[in-house]
Amino acid sequence: MFSLLLLNLEEYYFEQHTANHIINKGCRDERKFRGSLKICSKSIIFEPDDNIQPIIKVSSANLLFLEHLFQLDVAGKLGDVVQTLHQLYRASCLDKMGDQAAMITAILQSRLARTSFDKNRFQSISETLHMECKAEMVTPLVTNPGHVCVTDANLYFQPLNGYPKPVVQITLQNVRRIYKRRHGLMPLGLEVFCTENDLCSDIYLKFYNCQDRDELYYLIATYIENHITEHTAESYMLQWQRGHLSNYQYLLHLNNLADRSCNDLSQYPVFPWIIADYSSSVLDLTKPETFRDLSKPIGALNKERLDRLLTRYQEMPEPKFMYGSHYSSPGYVLFYLVRVAPEYMLCLQNGKFDHADRMFNSLAETWKNCLDGATDFKELIPEFYENDSSFLVNSLKLDLGKRQGGKMVEDVELPPWASGPDDFLQKSQEALESQYVSEHLHEWIDIIFGYKQKGNEPSVSTLYKYAFFFFPVFHPLTYEGGVDLNSIMDPNEKVALLTQILEFGQTPKQLFTIPHPRRIIPKLKSLSRTSSHSVSITESPVSPNEESFEDLTEESITLAWNNIVLLFSFHSQNYSTLKMFSKESKTIQRSVSFSNMALSSCLILPGDTTVISSSWDNHIYFYSVAFGRRHDILMGHDDAVSKICWRDGRLYSASWDSTVKVWHCVPGETLSNKKNHFELLAELEHDVSVNTINLNSANTMLASGTKEGTINVWDVTTAVVLHQLPCHSGTVFDAAFSPDSRHLLSTGEDCCFKVIDVQTGMLISSVTTDEPQRCFRWDGNTILSGSQSGDLLIWDLLGGKVIERIKGHTGAVTSMWMNEQCNSVITGGEDKQIMFWKLQY
């Protein structure tokens, strides 16, 4: 509780000593109370061992009276302590804040320079030291200066003051996540987690320069890259869309990626208000009116208040901004947490609690004030969707004051539909994971973390439609990059500006620049958290006219190729000959040469009577299996035909002549030697050569990949390009839609798998491979790919890692076929081998 009376958002905790607080010194009734004396950069705190006695704070400006109050027990170090106290006193006497901060920093650096990490604290004498530097351990309102060490096995931090313990040690093998942080508007922070889904980290470090921070990050990241997969916002998005992350878990990961931390009150994790009904006796999660409109920020939910804000905005001089207060700030965070962290509230309120009527008294009152208050736009914090309800209960029996009606401030008043604090949290969790929220959460993410974060300047005609979507929504200084502290030369101006921004709150780092995709809502899906409870999402039955998507997590359609084995293989002499093999007899049935140039792809039409093959000689050949002869030729391109597809009586052909053509084939009469008639239905023009194409299961969209790495998504019905995305740095080898058509996976010569959200065109995942993957099949979660070296690889896409590697060809795997049951695979390679594979159950 020593931080109880600190009055600054940033104060250094220098040292701690045993001392006696002396009352009535020199008098007959002199009394002494033993406790801890904590020397901080701008104050001295005495915390008595007896909890009944008050905590005492003496500001640095009053240190001359310290000897009359305390008797130090410092075992021969009294001279050093007195010297520190006099230095801090001189700093407090300086007129300007910038000069005070500069002198305190000089004192701190001098102390750090005279000390180093105690190597005797290593866990093992065999550890190898990789790096040592000065840093600070960040906790809410207090930073502890000290020394950081990283070895080949552990990360250490040794604080100068020995608090909270002589050495903080983290085993690198236990590290699961590591994030670079923006602390005090500077890229100096580093936060380490040893858990995957917990809210709070194991340590938050702040460095004195970017080089030290980045070097330590590199050392830890290099160690753990073989143990865990580094996740991006896009990879978490894919997991969330597919139902592998709950709404709560996804928001927690986005907060972490956006520099939000429980150790930084000015950048505390932000969660949305979900429930809008705090008066009913029963909470009905099937009614849309139960929920808050997630497409708008808090400040735009009340039209009357919005009208006033718009008027003020239009009359405001530059810089203009919509909201005069933030949705997340230290004051708002501590407003919610006052019952479990009263010391922090006292810190911000100069040693006093806020007025009783302004405290967190009631959920209904707080929600109403967020809707109606002139300056109240706050969102919630993660604790509202956790399992610990202590922040709603005055279990510490704090004297939080008496309200105007005479009622003492005690526990938070809950809505009628909650039987108690635990029940309130349980229902809040259910609301967060409900179908309505799952369908609309992406809209709130757009506002807080996405492309609507900074807004834009609307025209008069769209003023009210997009009133919540201004530039800037908040003061420009609250955004990342809104101010460059290094460009401010006046130290006093810099300190004042930093203090202002830290107290006001900071906007999260922008994670997305285009609209966030919607979630795929399964018909019935259970989402489990790492904590003790699980939440069920239920979707009403889909009507026959509505588009229904498969739940790709169902075991029945999940690809499980771990037990795939090679049955047999055939050898082909050259690339320009079409050969047909019998799987049963394992013999060649047909062999025909169409051209003196290589064949690029082939397929068998429904009925197994006709084979179509494309060639680098610009032609497409039709071969009759029954008559054993070439039946027709389509000369439809001006350069090599790279790939063909057949769907519902239509032929799709891709070519290096920069086009994809759609043909309707009217069959001729084979016996009378009448040729097929080909009608060109559409020509999809590209800027460069097209190397591959594929269609979705509904045959409504086509994906094309070019030799320059561009992925194009086309609406086949209108021949209009929906997205043109520069995904790869080199040729796109293969591309395919997921079974539900929501995602598109591609691979290229740049050794990357890329996942695109088809609705928005957003690149949501990128997995780097050791070598190019030339072709693949996938089910939306798992990939079976053929590599440049000839091996077959099974990938966990969500985890971004190889599950199994299977020896196959001696050259690149150039083509792959799989049956509908996903248990038979045929591959072809540059080694002129065709291999038949079977899944063994």
Side-chain angles (χ1 to χ4, degrees), residues 541-556:
V542 180
S543 66
N545 294 328
E546 292 179 348
E547 186 176 12
S548 176
F549 294 93
E550 298 173 348
D551 177 8
L552 295 181
T553 62
E554 293 180 6
E555 185 178 355
S556 61

Side-chain angles (χ1 to χ4, degrees), residues 182-357:
R182 173 186 52 153
H183 185 273
L185 304 185
M186 300 291 288
L188 299 173
L190 186 72
E191 194 161 21
V192 180
F193 292 77
C194 292
T195 56
E196 185 59 41
N197 293 305
D198 279 2
L199 177 63
C200 296
S201 65
D202 290 80
I203 193 169
Y204 188 147
L205 297 171
K206 175 190 174 185
F207 297 81
Y208 296 107
N209 59 71
C210 297
Q211 292 75 18
D212 285 346
R213 192 276 303 269
D214 292 345
E215 182 178 353
L216 187 66
Y217 177 89
Y218 173 78
L219 288 172
I220 298 178
T222 301
Y223 179 89
I224 67 177
E225 67 179 356
N226 295 324
H227 299 79
I228 63 172
T229 301
E230 182 178 0
H231 289 289
T232 62
E234 291 76 18
S235 65
Y236 281 128
M237 180 202 298
L238 182 61
Q239 294 186 55
W240 173 73
Q241 275 195 293
R242 294 270 171 203
H244 293 265
L245 289 177
S246 67
N247 292 337
Y248 168 85
Q249 291 169 334
Y250 185 44
L251 290 176
L252 203 61
H253 288 307
L254 292 185
N255 272 281
N256 272 317
L257 292 171
D259 284 338
R260 314 301 285 190
S261 169
C262 292
N263 289 304
D264 187 348
L265 294 181
S266 69
Q267 297 189 95
Y268 203 80
V270 55
F271 270 60
W273 283 94
I274 293 296
I275 299 169
D277 179 4
Y278 294 93
S279 59
S280 299
S281 58
V282 177
L283 186 66
D284 189 348
L285 298 182
T286 65
K287 296 164 53 179
E289 53 267 30
T290 298
F291 300 92
R292 164 259 183 103
D293 184 352
L294 290 167
S295 68
K296 299 177 182 178
I298 293 294
L301 295 177
N302 183 328
K303 187 178 182 303
E304 292 183 1
R305 179 175 64 176
L306 183 59
D307 289 340
R308 296 192 295 270
L309 291 171
L310 289 171
T311 301
R312 190 194 69 164
Y313 174 85
Q314 292 172 313
E315 297 173 351
M316 184 183 296
E318 296 293 343
K320 292 186 175 185
F321 51 89
M322 271 291 290
Y323 306 123
S325 64
H326 211 273
Y327 51 74
S328 177
S329 68
Y332 287 161
V333 173
L334 300 182
F335 169 85
Y336 292 127
L337 298 180
V338 63
R339 289 169 176 79
V340 291
E343 65 272 25
Y344 298 151
M345 173 65 79
L346 291 172
C347 166
L348 293 185
Q349 296 290 134
N350 293 336
K352 298 179 181 180
F353 291 119
D354 200 356
H355 189 279
D357 287 304

